[in-house]
Amino acid sequence: MHYYSLGQIPPKRHTQFRQPSGKLYAEELFSTEGFSDVYSLLYHLNPPTMIRQVGEPYSVAPKVITDNQLRPRCLKGFQIAPEDDYLKSRKPVLVNSDCKISLAAPRKSVTEYFFKNADADEMIFIHVGSGVLKTMYGSIKFGYGDYLVIPRGTTYQLHFDSEDNRLLILESVSPIRTPKRYRNNFGQLLEHSPFCERDIRKPENLETIDEQGDFLFYIKKQDIIYPYTYLNHPFDVIGWDGYCYPFAFSIHNFEPITGRVHMPPPTHQTFESAGFVVCSFVPRLYDYHPLSIPAPYHHSNIDSDEILYYVDGEFMSRAHVEKGMITMHPAGIPHGPQPGTIEKSIGVKETAELAVMIDSFRPLYMTEHTAGIEMPEYYKSWLPK
Ligand SMILES: [Fe+2]
Protein backbone atom coordinates (compact mmCIF):
# COMPACT_ATOMS: atom_id res chain seq x y z
CA MET A 1 0.00 0.00 0.00
CA HIS A 2 1.38 3.35 -0.96
CA TYR A 3 0.06 6.79 -1.65
CA TYR A 4 -1.81 7.25 -4.89
CA SER A 5 -4.12 9.83 -6.39
CA LEU A 6 -6.43 9.78 -9.40
CA GLY A 7 -8.65 12.53 -10.84
CA GLN A 8 -9.30 15.89 -9.21
CA ILE A 9 -8.94 16.55 -5.50
CA PRO A 10 -8.93 19.84 -3.54
CA PRO A 11 -5.55 21.18 -2.37
CA LYS A 12 -6.56 20.75 1.28
CA ARG A 13 -8.65 17.95 2.75
CA HIS A 14 -12.02 18.65 4.36
CA THR A 15 -12.35 22.02 2.65
CA GLN A 16 -14.87 23.36 0.14
CA PHE A 17 -14.51 21.62 -3.21
CA ARG A 18 -17.18 22.65 -5.68
CA GLN A 19 -18.55 21.25 -8.92
CA PRO A 20 -18.87 23.60 -11.95
CA SER A 21 -22.50 24.10 -10.91
CA GLY A 22 -21.37 25.45 -7.52
CA LYS A 23 -22.62 22.37 -5.65
CA LEU A 24 -20.16 20.85 -3.19
CA TYR A 25 -18.63 17.48 -4.00
CA ALA A 26 -19.49 14.89 -1.34
CA GLU A 27 -16.29 13.91 0.47
CA GLU A 28 -16.08 10.33 1.76
CA LEU A 29 -13.38 8.85 3.99
CA PHE A 30 -12.91 5.17 3.24
CA SER A 31 -10.95 2.96 5.62
CA THR A 32 -11.18 -0.64 6.73
CA GLU A 33 -9.74 -0.25 10.25
CA GLY A 34 -11.39 2.81 11.76
CA PHE A 35 -9.28 5.95 11.75
CA SER A 36 -6.11 4.13 12.73
CA ASP A 37 -4.90 2.61 9.50
CA VAL A 38 -4.72 3.24 5.76
CA TYR A 39 -7.53 5.29 4.24
CA SER A 40 -8.55 7.18 1.14
CA LEU A 41 -10.56 10.36 0.64
CA LEU A 42 -12.99 10.30 -2.28
CA TYR A 43 -15.04 13.08 -3.85
CA HIS A 44 -18.47 12.05 -5.14
CA LEU A 45 -20.87 14.01 -7.30
CA ASN A 46 -23.61 12.90 -4.92
CA PRO A 47 -23.63 11.59 -1.35
CA PRO A 48 -23.09 7.81 -1.23
CA THR A 49 -25.84 7.44 1.37
CA MET A 50 -29.10 7.76 -0.55
CA ILE A 51 -30.83 4.41 -0.02
CA ARG A 52 -34.11 4.01 -1.91
CA GLN A 53 -35.01 0.52 -0.81
CA VAL A 54 -33.77 -2.41 1.23
CA GLY A 55 -34.81 -5.82 -0.12
CA GLU A 56 -35.21 -9.21 1.53
CA PRO A 57 -31.86 -10.53 2.79
CA TYR A 58 -30.77 -14.11 2.16
CA SER A 59 -28.04 -16.30 3.58
CA VAL A 60 -24.93 -17.40 1.71
CA ALA A 61 -23.31 -18.97 4.78
CA PRO A 62 -21.28 -22.01 3.77
CA LYS A 63 -22.50 -25.31 5.17
CA VAL A 64 -19.66 -27.14 6.90
CA ILE A 65 -20.23 -30.84 6.23
CA THR A 66 -17.69 -32.44 8.52
CA ASP A 67 -15.47 -31.59 11.43
CA ASN A 68 -13.21 -34.49 10.44
CA GLN A 69 -10.39 -32.10 10.00
CA LEU A 70 -7.25 -34.20 10.48
CA ARG A 71 -6.92 -35.75 7.05
CA PRO A 72 -4.91 -34.75 3.98
CA ARG A 73 -7.38 -33.69 1.30
CA CYS A 74 -7.24 -33.23 -2.44
CA LEU A 75 -9.89 -31.37 -4.41
CA LYS A 76 -10.31 -31.21 -8.18
CA GLY A 77 -11.06 -27.52 -8.41
CA PHE A 78 -11.94 -27.41 -12.10
CA GLN A 79 -14.84 -29.78 -11.40
CA ILE A 80 -16.71 -26.90 -9.76
CA ALA A 81 -19.61 -26.26 -12.13
CA PRO A 82 -19.77 -22.96 -14.01
CA GLU A 83 -22.67 -20.62 -13.27
CA ASP A 84 -23.89 -17.64 -15.24
CA ASP A 85 -24.07 -15.33 -12.24
CA TYR A 86 -20.91 -14.22 -10.46
CA LEU A 87 -22.30 -14.36 -6.92
CA LYS A 88 -23.91 -17.77 -7.49
CA SER A 89 -20.66 -19.02 -8.99
CA ARG A 90 -18.69 -18.42 -5.78
CA LYS A 91 -18.53 -21.79 -3.99
CA PRO A 92 -16.74 -21.81 -0.63
CA VAL A 93 -14.79 -25.06 -0.32
CA LEU A 94 -12.57 -24.56 2.76
CA VAL A 95 -13.60 -22.19 5.53
CA ASN A 96 -12.92 -21.02 9.07
CA SER A 97 -13.59 -17.91 11.11
CA ASP A 98 -10.61 -16.05 9.58
CA CYS A 99 -10.98 -16.87 5.93
CA LYS A 100 -12.98 -18.55 3.21
CA ILE A 101 -11.46 -20.16 0.16
CA SER A 102 -13.89 -20.32 -2.76
CA LEU A 103 -13.73 -21.58 -6.30
CA ALA A 104 -15.76 -19.89 -9.00
CA ALA A 105 -16.37 -20.32 -12.72
CA PRO A 106 -18.62 -17.38 -13.62
CA ARG A 107 -19.80 -17.13 -17.23
CA LYS A 108 -21.33 -13.67 -17.26
CA SER A 109 -20.09 -10.22 -16.38
CA VAL A 110 -21.70 -8.42 -13.47
CA THR A 111 -23.79 -5.71 -15.12
CA GLU A 112 -27.18 -5.73 -13.38
CA TYR A 113 -25.89 -5.10 -9.88
CA PHE A 114 -22.90 -4.02 -7.81
CA PHE A 115 -21.32 -6.29 -5.21
CA LYS A 116 -19.88 -5.20 -1.89
CA ASN A 117 -18.29 -7.60 0.57
CA ALA A 118 -18.63 -5.83 3.90
CA ASP A 119 -17.24 -8.85 5.78
CA ALA A 120 -13.91 -9.47 4.19
CA ASP A 121 -11.06 -8.27 2.04
CA GLU A 122 -11.01 -10.33 -1.13
CA MET A 123 -8.09 -11.74 -3.05
CA ILE A 124 -9.28 -13.00 -6.41
CA PHE A 125 -6.69 -15.06 -8.26
CA ILE A 126 -7.43 -15.20 -11.99
CA HIS A 127 -6.56 -18.70 -13.16
CA VAL A 128 -8.51 -18.57 -16.41
CA GLY A 129 -10.08 -15.49 -17.97
CA SER A 130 -9.55 -11.79 -18.41
CA GLY A 131 -11.54 -8.62 -18.11
CA VAL A 132 -11.90 -5.45 -16.07
CA LEU A 133 -12.53 -4.85 -12.37
CA LYS A 134 -14.71 -1.76 -12.08
CA THR A 135 -14.82 0.27 -8.86
CA MET A 136 -15.42 3.82 -7.73
CA TYR A 137 -11.61 4.22 -7.66
CA GLY A 138 -11.37 3.46 -11.38
CA SER A 139 -10.82 0.28 -13.37
CA ILE A 140 -8.16 -2.41 -13.30
CA LYS A 141 -7.64 -4.71 -16.29
CA PHE A 142 -6.94 -8.28 -15.28
CA GLY A 143 -5.81 -11.49 -16.90
CA TYR A 144 -4.22 -14.88 -16.30
CA GLY A 145 -2.11 -14.93 -13.16
CA ASP A 146 -3.37 -11.72 -11.57
CA TYR A 147 -4.14 -11.39 -7.90
CA LEU A 148 -6.87 -8.77 -7.49
CA VAL A 149 -6.90 -7.48 -3.92
CA ILE A 150 -10.12 -5.67 -3.02
CA PRO A 151 -10.44 -4.02 0.42
CA ARG A 152 -13.61 -5.00 2.24
CA GLY A 153 -16.43 -2.57 1.66
CA THR A 154 -15.34 -1.77 -1.89
CA THR A 155 -18.28 -1.78 -4.30
CA TYR A 156 -17.30 -3.53 -7.50
CA GLN A 157 -18.25 -5.27 -10.71
CA LEU A 158 -16.26 -7.86 -12.63
CA HIS A 159 -16.56 -7.64 -16.41
CA PHE A 160 -15.21 -10.68 -18.24
CA ASP A 161 -14.00 -10.88 -21.84
CA SER A 162 -15.41 -14.38 -22.34
CA GLU A 163 -17.49 -17.03 -20.59
CA ASP A 164 -14.50 -19.22 -19.72
CA ASN A 165 -13.36 -18.03 -16.31
CA ARG A 166 -11.81 -19.82 -13.34
CA LEU A 167 -11.21 -17.92 -10.13
CA LEU A 168 -9.72 -18.77 -6.74
CA ILE A 169 -11.23 -16.39 -4.20
CA LEU A 170 -9.86 -15.84 -0.71
CA GLU A 171 -11.93 -13.81 1.74
CA SER A 172 -10.18 -12.47 4.83
CA VAL A 173 -11.84 -10.85 7.83
CA SER A 174 -8.61 -8.96 8.53
CA PRO A 175 -6.85 -6.82 5.92
CA ILE A 176 -4.76 -8.52 3.23
CA ARG A 177 -1.36 -6.81 3.12
CA THR A 178 2.07 -7.23 1.64
CA PRO A 179 4.42 -8.92 4.17
CA LYS A 180 5.51 -6.54 6.92
CA ARG A 181 9.11 -7.76 6.82
CA TYR A 182 9.32 -6.57 3.21
CA ARG A 183 8.24 -3.01 4.13
CA ASN A 184 10.22 -0.21 5.77
CA ASN A 185 8.86 2.13 8.46
CA PHE A 186 7.19 4.21 5.76
CA GLY A 187 5.52 1.25 4.07
CA GLN A 188 7.84 1.20 1.07
CA LEU A 189 8.73 -2.26 -0.21
CA LEU A 190 12.37 -3.00 0.60
CA GLU A 191 15.14 -4.06 -1.78
CA HIS A 192 14.94 -7.72 -0.68
CA SER A 193 11.20 -7.90 -1.39
CA PRO A 194 10.34 -10.18 -4.35
CA PHE A 195 8.25 -7.38 -5.83
CA CYS A 196 7.99 -3.61 -5.54
CA GLU A 197 5.55 -0.77 -6.05
CA ARG A 198 6.08 -0.77 -9.83
CA ASP A 199 4.58 -4.26 -9.94
CA ILE A 200 1.40 -3.16 -8.16
CA ARG A 201 -1.21 -2.03 -10.66
CA LYS A 202 -3.48 0.69 -9.37
CA PRO A 203 -6.94 1.74 -10.64
CA GLU A 204 -6.94 3.82 -13.80
CA ASN A 205 -9.42 5.36 -16.27
CA LEU A 206 -11.52 6.98 -13.56
CA GLU A 207 -15.03 7.38 -14.96
CA THR A 208 -17.36 9.79 -13.22
CA ILE A 209 -20.88 8.58 -13.91
CA ASP A 210 -23.58 11.11 -13.16
CA GLU A 211 -26.71 8.96 -13.19
CA GLN A 212 -29.69 8.66 -10.93
CA GLY A 213 -32.17 5.81 -10.81
CA ASP A 214 -32.40 2.41 -9.16
CA PHE A 215 -28.93 1.01 -8.60
CA LEU A 216 -29.00 -2.46 -7.13
CA PHE A 217 -26.28 -3.46 -4.69
CA TYR A 218 -25.77 -6.87 -3.13
CA ILE A 219 -24.05 -6.20 0.17
CA LYS A 220 -22.59 -9.16 2.04
CA LYS A 221 -22.51 -8.81 5.80
CA GLN A 222 -22.07 -11.71 8.24
CA ASP A 223 -22.68 -14.16 5.39
CA ILE A 224 -26.04 -12.61 4.54
CA ILE A 225 -26.64 -10.79 1.27
CA TYR A 226 -28.67 -7.62 1.56
CA PRO A 227 -30.19 -6.24 -1.64
CA TYR A 228 -30.01 -2.44 -1.48
CA THR A 229 -31.28 0.00 -4.04
CA TYR A 230 -29.49 3.35 -4.14
CA LEU A 231 -30.51 6.53 -5.91
CA ASN A 232 -27.05 7.37 -7.27
CA HIS A 233 -24.65 5.46 -9.46
CA PRO A 234 -21.82 4.35 -7.14
CA PHE A 235 -19.06 5.21 -9.63
CA ASP A 236 -19.57 8.99 -9.45
CA VAL A 237 -16.15 9.92 -8.06
CA ILE A 238 -14.33 12.91 -9.60
CA GLY A 239 -11.09 12.17 -7.75
CA TRP A 240 -9.50 10.51 -4.74
CA ASP A 241 -6.24 10.02 -2.95
CA GLY A 242 -4.86 7.85 -0.19
CA TYR A 243 -3.46 4.44 0.61
CA CYS A 244 -6.63 2.30 0.55
CA TYR A 245 -7.72 1.06 -2.87
CA PRO A 246 -8.02 -2.16 -4.88
CA PHE A 247 -4.96 -3.27 -6.80
CA ALA A 248 -3.66 -6.04 -9.02
CA PHE A 249 -0.42 -7.92 -8.80
CA SER A 250 0.57 -10.56 -11.33
CA ILE A 251 2.07 -13.79 -10.06
CA HIS A 252 4.26 -13.60 -13.18
CA ASN A 253 5.92 -10.49 -11.66
CA PHE A 254 6.91 -12.31 -8.48
CA GLU A 255 10.71 -12.57 -8.51
CA PRO A 256 11.65 -15.84 -6.81
CA ILE A 257 14.35 -15.96 -4.16
CA THR A 258 16.59 -18.99 -4.72
CA GLY A 259 19.55 -20.44 -2.85
CA ARG A 260 22.26 -23.09 -2.76
CA VAL A 261 19.99 -25.36 -0.72
CA HIS A 262 16.20 -25.65 -0.50
CA MET A 263 14.47 -22.38 0.37
CA PRO A 264 11.39 -22.65 2.63
CA PRO A 265 7.95 -21.30 1.69
CA PRO A 266 8.36 -17.92 3.50
CA THR A 267 10.70 -16.90 0.65
CA HIS A 268 7.67 -17.21 -1.63
CA GLN A 269 5.41 -15.10 0.58
CA THR A 270 3.31 -12.55 -1.27
CA PHE A 271 0.55 -11.44 1.13
CA GLU A 272 -0.36 -11.81 4.76
CA SER A 273 -3.25 -11.18 7.12
CA ALA A 274 -3.96 -11.97 10.76
CA GLY A 275 -5.20 -15.46 9.84
CA PHE A 276 -3.01 -16.72 7.00
CA VAL A 277 -0.19 -16.10 4.56
CA VAL A 278 -0.27 -16.38 0.77
CA CYS A 279 2.80 -17.59 -1.15
CA SER A 280 3.51 -17.70 -4.89
CA PHE A 281 5.44 -20.66 -6.27
CA VAL A 282 6.76 -19.53 -9.65
CA PRO A 283 9.13 -20.86 -12.33
CA ARG A 284 12.68 -20.62 -10.97
CA LEU A 285 16.13 -22.12 -10.97
CA TYR A 286 16.65 -24.87 -8.42
CA ASP A 287 19.22 -25.04 -5.65
CA TYR A 288 22.85 -24.96 -6.79
CA HIS A 289 24.82 -26.58 -3.95
CA PRO A 290 26.64 -29.55 -5.59
CA LEU A 291 24.81 -31.98 -3.27
CA SER A 292 21.49 -30.12 -3.09
CA ILE A 293 18.11 -31.86 -3.14
CA PRO A 294 15.65 -29.66 -5.03
CA ALA A 295 12.52 -31.49 -3.82
CA PRO A 296 11.22 -30.21 -0.50
CA TYR A 297 11.98 -32.12 2.69
CA HIS A 298 9.21 -33.64 4.78
CA HIS A 299 7.52 -31.04 6.88
CA SER A 300 5.73 -31.20 10.21
CA ASN A 301 3.39 -28.25 10.11
CA ILE A 302 2.01 -28.07 13.61
CA ASP A 303 0.50 -24.62 13.48
CA SER A 304 -1.08 -24.15 10.06
CA ASP A 305 -3.22 -25.94 7.52
CA GLU A 306 -1.39 -25.78 4.20
CA ILE A 307 -3.37 -25.28 1.02
CA LEU A 308 -1.69 -25.53 -2.36
CA TYR A 309 -3.61 -24.50 -5.46
CA TYR A 310 -1.96 -25.79 -8.62
CA VAL A 311 -2.00 -23.32 -11.50
CA ASP A 312 0.38 -24.56 -14.17
CA GLY A 313 3.62 -26.43 -14.92
CA GLU A 314 4.98 -29.70 -13.65
CA PHE A 315 5.10 -30.37 -9.94
CA MET A 316 8.25 -31.91 -8.62
CA SER A 317 6.87 -33.36 -5.41
CA ARG A 318 3.71 -35.00 -6.67
CA ALA A 319 2.51 -37.09 -9.63
CA HIS A 320 -0.85 -36.70 -11.43
CA VAL A 321 -1.34 -33.06 -10.63
CA GLU A 322 -4.07 -31.28 -12.58
CA LYS A 323 -4.67 -27.58 -13.07
CA GLY A 324 -7.03 -26.20 -10.47
CA MET A 325 -6.24 -28.98 -8.01
CA ILE A 326 -6.13 -28.11 -4.32
CA THR A 327 -4.25 -30.10 -1.73
CA MET A 328 -4.75 -29.51 1.97
CA HIS A 329 -2.23 -30.77 4.47
CA PRO A 330 -3.66 -30.20 7.93
CA ALA A 331 -1.69 -29.04 10.92
CA GLY A 332 -0.65 -31.89 13.20
CA ILE A 333 0.72 -34.50 10.79
CA PRO A 334 3.78 -34.37 8.51
CA HIS A 335 3.56 -34.16 4.74
CA GLY A 336 6.14 -34.19 1.99
CA PRO A 337 7.13 -35.49 -1.41
CA GLN A 338 5.75 -38.77 -2.70
CA PRO A 339 8.13 -41.77 -2.70
CA GLY A 340 10.71 -41.55 -5.48
CA THR A 341 10.32 -37.85 -6.15
CA ILE A 342 13.24 -36.83 -3.89
CA GLU A 343 15.79 -38.98 -5.80
CA LYS A 344 14.21 -37.92 -9.09
CA SER A 345 14.69 -34.25 -8.27
CA ILE A 346 18.47 -34.50 -7.82
CA GLY A 347 20.31 -32.74 -10.63
CA VAL A 348 17.21 -31.00 -11.96
CA LYS A 349 18.10 -27.40 -12.74
CA GLU A 350 14.80 -25.58 -12.84
CA THR A 351 11.07 -25.82 -12.35
CA ALA A 352 8.17 -24.42 -14.35
CA GLU A 353 5.69 -24.87 -11.52
CA LEU A 354 3.12 -22.18 -10.83
CA ALA A 355 1.02 -22.43 -7.69
CA VAL A 356 -0.63 -20.38 -4.99
CA MET A 357 -0.18 -21.45 -1.39
CA ILE A 358 -2.47 -20.40 1.44
CA ASP A 359 -1.33 -21.33 4.93
CA SER A 360 -4.17 -20.84 7.40
CA PHE A 361 -3.32 -20.58 11.09
CA ARG A 362 -6.74 -21.91 12.15
CA PRO A 363 -8.07 -25.25 10.90
CA LEU A 364 -10.07 -25.17 7.68
CA TYR A 365 -13.31 -27.09 7.26
CA MET A 366 -14.88 -28.70 4.24
CA THR A 367 -18.25 -27.51 2.95
CA GLU A 368 -21.15 -28.85 0.92
CA HIS A 369 -19.27 -27.85 -2.24
CA THR A 370 -16.16 -29.84 -1.34
CA ALA A 371 -17.75 -33.27 -1.22
CA GLY A 372 -18.32 -33.74 -4.96
CA ILE A 373 -14.82 -32.73 -6.00
CA GLU A 374 -12.72 -34.57 -3.42
CA MET A 375 -10.37 -37.46 -4.24
CA PRO A 376 -11.26 -39.68 -1.27
CA GLU A 377 -8.14 -41.89 -1.31
CA TYR A 378 -5.69 -38.99 -1.40
CA TYR A 379 -4.45 -39.61 2.13
CA LYS A 380 -2.95 -42.94 0.91
CA SER A 381 -0.94 -41.26 -1.84
CA TRP A 382 2.36 -41.48 0.04
CA LEU A 383 2.34 -45.29 0.13
CA PRO A 384 4.90 -47.07 -2.09
CA LYS A 385 3.42 -47.99 -5.48
FE1 LIG B 1 4.64 -27.72 4.08
Side-chain angles (χ1 to χ4, degrees), residues 279 308 316 344 366:
C279 301
L308 200 58
M316 165 73 68
K344 220 171 103 188
M366 311 235 302

Side-chain angles (χ1 to χ4, degrees), residues 196-224:
C196 77
E197 283 77 5
R198 295 184 199 181
D199 299 314
I200 293 186
R201 285 161 23 229
K202 274 78 73 181
E204 53 188 18
N205 299 326
L206 181 66
E207 279 183 281
T208 310
I209 302 174
D210 188 8
E211 279 178 29
Q212 299 205 310
D214 286 317
F215 296 99
L216 177 63
F217 286 53
Y218 286 118
I219 303 175
K220 182 165 172 282
K221 178 88 178 168
Q222 297 288 290
D223 283 334
I224 290 172

Side-chain angles (χ1 to χ4, degrees), residues 56-300:
E56 204 53 47
Y58 61 92
S59 174
V60 289
K63 293 183 184 72
V64 170
I65 53 164
T66 176
D67 54 6
N68 177 0
Q69 207 278 330
L70 191 63
R71 180 186 290 199
R73 306 275 186 186
C74 184
L75 311 175
K76 292 190 167 192
F78 276 16
Q79 287 188 0
I80 285 285
E83 300 263 7
D84 282 349
D85 177 63
Y86 171 61
L87 286 185
K88 284 203 187 92
S89 79
R90 294 161 56 114
K91 317 272 192 204
V93 290
L94 292 162
V95 300
N96 64 26
S97 55
D98 287 327
C99 63
K100 290 189 184 73
I101 298 169
S102 300
L103 296 167
R107 287 199 195 95
K108 305 285 186 202
S109 296
V110 179
T111 54
E112 302 301 311
Y113 61 87
F114 302 89
F115 177 54
K116 176 193 283 203
N117 189 338
D119 287 330
D121 281 30
E122 295 192 350
M123 182 200 85
I124 304 176
F125 178 76
I126 311 294
H127 192 169
V128 176
S130 61
V132 182
L133 167 70
K134 288 184 173 272
T135 75
M136 65 178 174
Y137 296 89
S139 300
I140 302 176
K141 281 189 187 163
F142 62 81
Y144 168 53
D146 279 337
Y147 294 104
L148 297 174
V149 178
I150 305 171
R152 73 193 109 132
T154 303
T155 302
Y156 73 85
Q157 290 183 325
L158 283 177
H159 290 224
F160 300 106
D161 294 332
S162 80
E163 296 203 342
D164 188 15
N165 303 293
R166 290 276 170 187
L167 314 175
L168 170 71
I169 302 172
L170 174 61
E171 292 173 74
S172 172
V173 298
S174 64
I176 298 174
R177 300 272 158 80
T178 53
K180 195 164 193 311
R181 70 175 189 285
Y182 287 142
R183 285 184 264 125
N184 64 21
N185 286 341
F186 299 91
Q188 185 179 17
L189 289 161
L190 289 159
E191 270 295 309
H192 66 284
S193 170
F195 54 97
C196 77
E197 283 77 5
R198 295 184 199 181
D199 299 314
I200 293 186
R201 285 161 23 229
K202 274 78 73 181
E204 53 188 18
N205 299 326
L206 181 66
E207 279 183 281
T208 310
I209 302 174
D210 188 8
E211 279 178 29
Q212 299 205 310
D214 286 317
F215 296 99
L216 177 63
F217 286 53
Y218 286 118
I219 303 175
K220 182 165 172 282
K221 178 88 178 168
Q222 297 288 290
D223 283 334
I224 290 172
I225 299 267
Y226 294 87
Y228 264 57
T229 308
Y230 276 91
L231 175 66
N232 298 307
H233 196 291
F235 304 159
D236 69 341
V237 169
I238 191 78
W240 62 271
D241 75 337
Y243 282 61
C244 186
Y245 49 84
F247 65 87
F249 170 68
S250 172
I251 196 170
H252 307 302
N253 281 327
F254 186 92
E255 297 303 329
I257 297 168
T258 58
R260 263 167 54 94
V261 294
H262 188 80
M263 302 296 279
T267 58
H268 308 293
Q269 195 186 340
T270 313
F271 301 117
E272 67 188 11
S273 83
F276 58 83
V277 295
V278 175
C279 301
S280 301
F281 288 79
V282 302
R284 62 194 181 278
L285 296 179
Y286 269 139
D287 325 329
Y288 49 91
H289 185 285
L291 295 177
S292 68
I293 298 175
Y297 33 76
H298 301 96
H299 177 206
S300 255

Side-chain angles (χ1 to χ4, degrees), residues 265 299 301 306 335 357:
H299 177 206
N301 48 311
E306 297 188 2
H335 60 275
M357 187 188 213

